Amino acid sequence: GAGVSQSPRYKVAKRGQDVALRCDPISGHVSLFWYQQALGQGPEFLTYFQNEAQLDKSGLPSDRFFAERPEGSVSTLKIQRTQQEDSAVYLCASSPSEKLFFGSGTQLSVL
Amino acid sequence: GIQVEQSPPDLILQEGANSTLRCNFSDSVNNLQWFHQNPWGQLINLFYIPSGTKQNGRLSATTVATERYSLLYISSSQTTDSGVYFCAGNAGGTSYGKLTFGQGTILTVHP
């Protein structure tokens, strides 16, 4: 079966632009997570959904970051007024229980 | 939050060699997992191992929860084993998928 799918694979944005990153989880996975990975670092937790409910958003770095999962399947991570420090790989993971399965990520570069 | 320390930070092997990677946690963790990030950035879940020992082909992992560490063993290494190995876990009382990752071990296997 298909794994976690993320799009776009690469995104270049000018500082100040808004961006939207998409995640298609594995079918049937209730839980969905977003992580941010800076170059040379381990991923860092951003937010967590169970179905359409956002249960934990403690890792979102500022109010410019917003995530949604309106129908409990596809999720979108939106970053408003992008800044250079937002440049990173954004990883999405889904899970049926304890194990997390990650997508290939979206590499965001803010110029 | 918990601290995750991985060692060694870098490891260079000849094909066929064995290796042991270690992960130490500052506090008790749940949901301990090992991941391999390949050169294309894909994070592959190797093991969900909150305690005990598991084996999958040439890879095995052992977690001693009472002593707050986990080990990943790679036997008869192959060039395709190259990449970054991460361990991750979550502290009690947090969302199960809110994993804290270590800094990773960069493994390079030469033919």
Side-chain angles (χ1 to χ4, degrees), chain B residues 20-41:
Chain B
T20 301
L21 282 57
R22 186 179 178 103
C23 181
N24 289 329
F25 291 87
S26 61
D27 204 344
S28 299
V29 293
N30 305 313
N31 206 15
L32 198 156
Q33 302 182 41
W34 282 94
F35 297 89
H36 174 219
Q37 190 162 42
N38 65 26
W40 297 271

Side-chain angles (χ1 to χ4, degrees), chain A residues 72-94:
Chain A
S73 179
V74 171
S75 177
T76 304
L77 177 67
K78 297 179 179 178
I79 309 173
Q80 298 177 324
R81 305 180 303 280
T82 53
Q83 304 295 315
Q84 283 189 321
E85 61 262 29
D86 300 335
S87 295
V89 175
Y90 290 86
L91 295 163
C92 176
S94 69

Side-chain angles (χ1 to χ4, degrees), chain B:
Chain B
I2 61 170
Q3 306 299 314
V4 183
E5 184 179 314
Q6 290 189 242
S7 60
D10 298 275
L11 188 57
I12 300 174
L13 300 174
Q14 282 300 125
E15 204 166 27
N18 303 328
S19 61
T20 301
L21 282 57
R22 186 179 178 103
C23 181
N24 289 329
F25 291 87
S26 61
D27 204 344
S28 299
V29 293
N30 305 313
N31 206 15
L32 198 156
Q33 302 182 41
W34 282 94
F35 297 89
H36 174 219
Q37 190 162 42
N38 65 26
W40 297 271
Q42 177 76 49
L43 263 174
I44 307 296
N45 194 308
L46 299 175
F47 293 102
Y48 164 71
I49 187 162
S51 64
T53 298
K54 289 187 178 179
Q55 180 154 8
N56 184 3
R58 295 181 297 103
L59 302 182
S60 65
T62 295
T63 295
V64 183
T66 53
E67 298 188 20
R68 302 173 186 171
Y69 74 89
S70 184
L71 303 173
L72 178 69
Y73 305 96
I74 304 174
S75 64
S76 304
S77 58
Q78 300 176 358
T79 56
T80 52
D81 295 332
S82 296
V84 186
Y85 289 81
F86 291 102
C87 63
N90 74 300
T94 62
S95 312
Y96 79 89
K98 186 178 180 180
L99 300 178
T100 299
F101 281 75
Q103 292 294 300
T105 292
I106 303 173
L107 175 64
T108 304
V109 181
H110 291 300

Side-chain angles (χ1 to χ4, degrees), chain A:
Chain A
V4 178
S5 177
Q6 293 189 244
S7 61
R9 186 73 177 91
Y10 302 95
K11 176 69 179 177
V12 178
K14 292 183 179 179
R15 192 171 54 183
Q17 277 186 330
D18 298 348
V19 298
L21 312 180
R22 178 188 169 102
C23 173
D24 259 291
I26 294 171
S27 178
H29 283 192
V30 169
S31 299
L32 184 147
F33 307 86
W34 284 98
Y35 281 77
Q36 180 190 60
Q37 187 175 22
L39 189 64
Q41 305 292 318
E44 292 190 354
F45 172 84
L46 293 177
T47 187
Y48 157 49
F49 290 86
Q50 188 169 59
N51 295 307
E52 68 278 5
Q54 189 174 20
L55 299 186
D56 190 335
K57 55 181 181 179
S58 60
L60 295 177
S62 77
D63 58 8
R64 297 186 295 104
F65 287 70
F66 172 76
E68 60 182 6
R69 193 185 185 197
E71 297 179 358
S73 179
V74 171
S75 177
T76 304
L77 177 67
K78 297 179 179 178
I79 309 173
Q80 298 177 324
R81 305 180 303 280
T82 53
Q83 304 295 315
Q84 283 189 321
E85 61 262 29
D86 300 335
S87 295
V89 175
Y90 290 86
L91 295 163
C92 176
S94 69
S95 174
S97 57
E98 293 89 5
K99 283 184 74 169
L100 267 64
F101 297 89
F102 281 86
S104 297
T106 293
Q107 185 172 325
L108 173 66
S109 299
V110 181
L111 307 177

